[in-house]
Amino acid sequence: LPGLHVFALAFALEVSVGKTNTVMALNNSNVLLPCTFTTCIGFQDLVFTWYFNSTEMVGSSIYHGKIKNKASEPFLVGRNPRVEFVGSTTKKDNNISILLKNVDFSDAGKYTCHVKNPKEKNAQHNATIFLTVVQKMVEADNTVTLIIVGVVGGLIGLLILFMLIKRVVLFIIKKTQDGKKECLVSSSGNDNTENGLAGSKAEQKAPPKA
């Protein structure tokens, strides 16, 4: 069934940049752009290319490499001077990540990791990362910290207030109960000792005659 064969072939090669496709980096720092690929039937003379803001366009390639087979590491075909290959393909994950050095604001944008495998009739696939370059990360962190502190502080304050209210309510209930007990004792004492008699009023009454 040719149709099923084509369908299976289309999903044989997969490329991934991880759980999230957004990366944030500080100005003048180095940033890792992750990428791995998987293939069901292996690879031969595989080609991978990293593009900046475009895909398969002249001048947009920032790293171009080839891998002979799974027993060999990639060899460089061409790269931007600020890009360094930091992956490995002789291990399980087929890592073709790169390190972008000394990033500045002009480096912000879309980075595409593109892979083509001749062994799978040139099956190809890509994954994209969006890079944001910032001057400082402290401000964002402080905002988050202040929000967390505010929320936690508010919760602690509510908890303390609840505990204080609970103690006051329990104290009032206890005093009320103690007051009732005192009233009962006092009332019982008056009944039992009325006119200096030791018994209660009920005991003083004579039983009804039959």
Side-chain angles (χ1 to χ4, degrees):
L1 296 172
L4 290 176
H5 179 69
V6 171
F7 180 81
L9 186 62
F11 289 94
L13 179 66
E14 291 185 1
V15 181
S16 173
V17 292
K19 293 181 179 179
T20 177
N21 66 338
T22 56
V23 175
M24 184 175 288
L26 280 171
N27 189 31
N28 294 322
S29 69
N30 299 338
V31 61
L32 174 71
L33 300 179
C35 185
T36 59
F37 69 87
T38 56
T39 173
C40 298
I41 63 173
F43 56 89
Q44 187 74 36
D45 297 323
L46 183 141
V47 178
F48 69 96
T49 311
W50 277 92
Y51 296 99
F52 175 55
N53 280 342
S54 299
T55 304
E56 297 187 72
M57 291 187 68
V58 179
S60 65
S61 170
I62 58 171
Y63 194 95
H64 183 48
K66 287 186 178 181
I67 314 166
K68 188 174 181 181
N69 52 50
K70 62 181 180 180
S72 61
E73 290 290 345
F75 63 89
L76 173 67
V77 177
R79 71 180 177 97
N80 182 293
R82 291 193 300 118
V83 177
E84 179 185 345
F85 181 78
V86 292
S88 175
T89 52
T90 56
K91 297 176 182 178
K92 279 185 177 181
D93 55 359
N94 290 327
N95 191 329
I96 49 175
S97 303
I98 58 172
L99 186 73
L100 187 58
K101 299 178 179 179
N102 300 321
V103 297
D104 58 32
F105 298 107
S106 64
D107 292 317
K110 181 176 73 172
Y111 290 81
T112 303
C113 176
H114 183 272
V115 180
K116 182 167 69 174
N117 186 14
K119 192 173 182 179
E120 297 177 78
K121 296 183 179 180
N122 281 328
Q124 51 191 315
H125 199 63
N126 59 58
T128 302
I129 295 175
F130 294 93
L131 175 66
T132 303
V133 181
V134 296
Q135 186 61 41
K136 289 181 180 180
M137 289 189 181
V138 178
E139 293 177 4
D141 290 343
N142 281 347
T143 303
V144 172
T145 303
L146 287 172
I147 291 170
I148 292 171
V149 169
V151 170
V152 173
L155 289 173
I156 292 172
L158 285 172
L159 183 61
I160 292 171
L161 182 62
F162 173 76
M163 290 176 70
L164 285 172
I165 292 171
K166 184 180 175 183
R167 288 181 69 115
V168 170
V169 170
L170 288 174
F171 177 78
I172 292 170
I173 291 171
K174 185 175 184 301
K175 282 294 179 185
T176 304
Q177 288 177 345
D178 289 346
K180 284 182 179 179
K181 285 179 183 176
E182 288 175 4
C183 289
L184 287 172
V185 170
S186 175
S187 174
S188 177
N190 288 337
D191 289 342
N192 292 339
T193 56
E194 189 176 10
N195 299 323
L197 298 175
S200 66
K201 288 182 178 179
E203 290 172 347
Q204 293 175 31
K205 292 181 180 180
K209 294 181 180 180

